[in-house]
Structure formats: structure tokens, C-alpha cells
Amino acid sequence: MDIKEYVAYRKEELRKEIAMMDRPPKLVIIKANDNPASASYVRGKLKDADEVGIDAELIELDPSISQKELDKKIEEINNDKDVDGFIVQLPLPNQIDEEKVKLEVIPEKDVDGFHPCTKFLPCTPKGIVDYLRHEGFDFKGKNALIIGRSNIVGKPMARILLEKGCDANVTVIHSRTSEEDKAFYIAHADLIIAAVGKIGVLDGHYAYKKDAVIVDVGINRGEDGKLHGDAMPSLPVKLQTPVPGGVGLLTRISLMENLVEAKKRK
Ligand code: GUN
């Protein structure tokens, strides 16, 4: 199944499950930036919520908000019995300490999966693993290469792929890895997760295993004004996820699934 078909199927499952609930699960999205990419992600999340029957509320705060005011807002939502889960959309303005914010969202409502004691898997890695499992990818003993060490994708992805149940051999490379080593790891990888945020991280000049799978997490605005992934299109591998219409959709469905789980656990 391609990602669009898969996401439509998962949404339908969620919609049926939610329809049986005593009340719709409630999601709150706090947005405190005027970043156009963020605005587009948030629109996507609200659209998905609407389609599956989640009650979603967007709280837009002024980007000049102080840390104290944001802390107060988060505390209010933590204590709101009607809210099952909430997220604070990243990036946050410079005057705000992002790490502090991640610690403030109570683990029971942390449907982004960002708190160290969170009850949930981070949405992007969860979405990728769920999709590949559905496609029959067996992670056990496979060489997984993660390119990029971000807190939001690279690091949690490495942890999930290492855990029991996945049991992959995990390598993480990053901006300080030599070009020679990068080419070596790519040539040996069964699964490549490209999560740098730069066009051309993977291109036709590398040697790939012909059965390799490339998951492209990058969403980059090119000079042509269009969206591009980190990987150049149509590389000689078995499966390569598209951009747009790829991992972004998987992240969104994971958020909805985490929210439904949050309500069920209440
Ligand atoms: N910004 C980019 N991706 C995400 C995400 O998954 N969650 C939040 N909160 N912010 C983001």
C-alpha cells in the first residue's frame, strides 16, 4: 500500500473506534510562532482531527509571549479535565526555552511523545515504524542508518529501532561524519532514514543495496518554490517514500492514535 492508501485505511479504523466512544477525544494545539511551515502542519493536523471525529482546538498565542505566560497556559491545559492530550507546536520563539516547555506538558497528555517520562511514542518515528511493519518490513538484524541526530526524529528513531520487537542494528550519522564514512554506511544499509532537513542528502552518486528502503523525513522548500525531501527522487532502491505526501501524513496519523490512546487510558 502506498502511504496515502495506508493513512486513509488507518483513519477509517480510528473514525470507527471514536464513533463508539462516549464522547469525542479532545486535542488542544498551542501555536506561538508565525512560521508558515508550522501553520501548514497545524492545518493538516486539524483536518485529520476533523475527519476522524476528534474535537480539536487551536490556541494561537502571540509570538512575543513571555515564558511565564506560556508556562501558565500549559498549566491550565494540564489541569483541564476536558482535554485528553495537547501539543505545543515547534519551533518556539527565541525567548522561550523549548526544553523547559517539553518538561511542562504532563506525560499523560504528552501526545507528541516529547517528555522524557512520556506515555507515548514520538509521532514521526512511531508513524514510520507502524507503516513499515504494515508493509511487512522485518527490522530484526537489519542495518538501519539514520542520517540526522535531532531530538524530534533522529534520536527517538534510533531508540525505537533498537528496542526489543524492532531489534535493528542502528547507526546514526550526522554533520560531522566524513563523506567517505557516509558512503560506506549507505552502501551497507537496509533501511535509511533521512532526517536532516536539506535537499540532496541522498542522491544518485551513492551505492545503495537494491532492496534498501529509504524513508524521507525532510520537508524543504526549494528555489523552485516547491517542496522537496532530503533524498533526490527515484533512487535505485526497493521503496522510497515521497515528499510531499509521505512521512508528514504518518506523523499526523500517529498524533491522532496517541490522542485516542490518551483518552482510553484516562
Ligand atoms: N514541529 C515539527 N514537527 C512537529 C511535531 O511533530 N510536533 C510539534 N509539537 N511540533 C513540530
Side-chain angles (χ1 to χ4, degrees):
M1 251 187 217
D2 70 20
I3 290 183
K4 282 197 175 133
E5 285 172 294
Y6 167 78
V7 166
Y9 151 77
R10 292 297 277 241
K11 273 190 190 162
E12 184 53 22
E13 296 289 297
L14 269 182
R15 196 190 59 74
K16 283 192 247 166
E17 188 175 355
I18 290 168
M20 308 276 288
M21 289 178 156
D22 56 333
R23 61 165 177 86
K26 170 140 191 194
L27 170 71
V28 167
I29 300 175
I30 298 181
K31 183 171 166 291
N33 64 41
D34 43 21
N35 180 310
S38 254
S40 150
Y41 299 155
V42 167
R43 274 198 304 277
K45 290 171 188 179
L46 293 172
K47 175 176 164 279
D48 287 350
D50 184 54
E51 281 174 15
V52 300
I54 284 168
D55 175 12
E57 182 188 347
L58 172 62
I59 300 180
E60 288 194 82
L61 301 172
D62 196 294
S64 69
I65 191 168
S66 69
Q67 179 85 48
K68 212 163 158 191
E69 286 170 299
L70 181 59
D71 294 348
K72 201 167 140 240
K73 193 75 207 169
I74 292 173
E75 194 186 342
E76 201 181 288
I77 303 171
N78 275 335
N79 293 326
D80 186 339
K81 299 259 181 307
D82 293 336
V83 177
D84 297 292
F86 73 105
I87 67 167
V88 183
Q89 188 68 27
L90 304 178
L92 286 164
N94 288 337
Q95 75 277 14
I96 304 291
D97 180 347
E98 219 163 84
E99 294 309 310
K100 180 167 189 277
V101 166
K102 286 182 192 166
L103 296 176
E104 284 171 348
V105 175
I106 54 169
E108 291 75 13
K109 293 190 181 186
D110 174 34
V111 285
D112 249 335
F114 288 168
H115 191 287
C117 303
T118 185
K119 308 283 181 203
F120 303 95
L121 290 178
C123 297
T124 301
K126 169 180 156 55
I128 292 170
V129 170
D130 287 349
Y131 171 64
L132 292 179
R133 273 224 174 92
H134 181 266
E135 291 305 294
F137 187 88
D138 182 13
F139 295 91
K140 198 170 171 178
K142 293 278 167 56
N143 297 334
L145 174 63
I146 299 162
I147 311 182
R149 54 180 158 176
S150 68
N151 291 327
I152 183 166
V153 183
K155 285 185 201 135
M157 190 81 235
R159 190 168 47 76
I160 292 169
L161 289 172
L162 269 178
E163 261 161 29
K164 268 217 166 69
C166 268
D167 302 298
N169 314 320
V170 178
T171 305
V172 184
I173 63 171
H174 45 77
S175 52
R176 302 291 166 153
T177 305
S178 73
E179 189 51 38
E180 186 187 353
D181 286 340
K182 180 183 173 188
F184 169 85
Y185 288 120
I186 289 172
H188 289 82
D190 302 298
L191 170 63
I192 304 175
I193 314 282
V196 176
K198 221 167 92 183
I199 294 172
V201 170
L202 294 175
D203 62 23
H205 98 278
Y206 294 104
Y208 299 89
K209 282 193 173 184
K210 71 174 189 318
D211 283 339
V213 170
I214 294 177
V215 175
D216 195 341
V217 185
I219 302 179
N220 311 295
R221 182 75 58 185
E223 281 170 11
D224 56 3
K226 292 185 184 154
L227 290 180
H228 300 265
D230 284 358
M232 302 312 277
S234 309
L235 294 173
V237 293
K238 190 169 81 180
L239 170 72
Q240 177 177 357
T241 65
V243 177
V247 172
L249 302 179
L250 300 177
T251 301
R252 279 157 46 183
I253 198 81
S254 293
L255 176 67
M256 305 302 140
E257 287 171 351
N258 280 348
L259 182 76
V260 166
E261 192 57 38
K263 173 168 187 312
K264 287 201 284 195
R265 287 193 198 157
K266 228 180 187 174

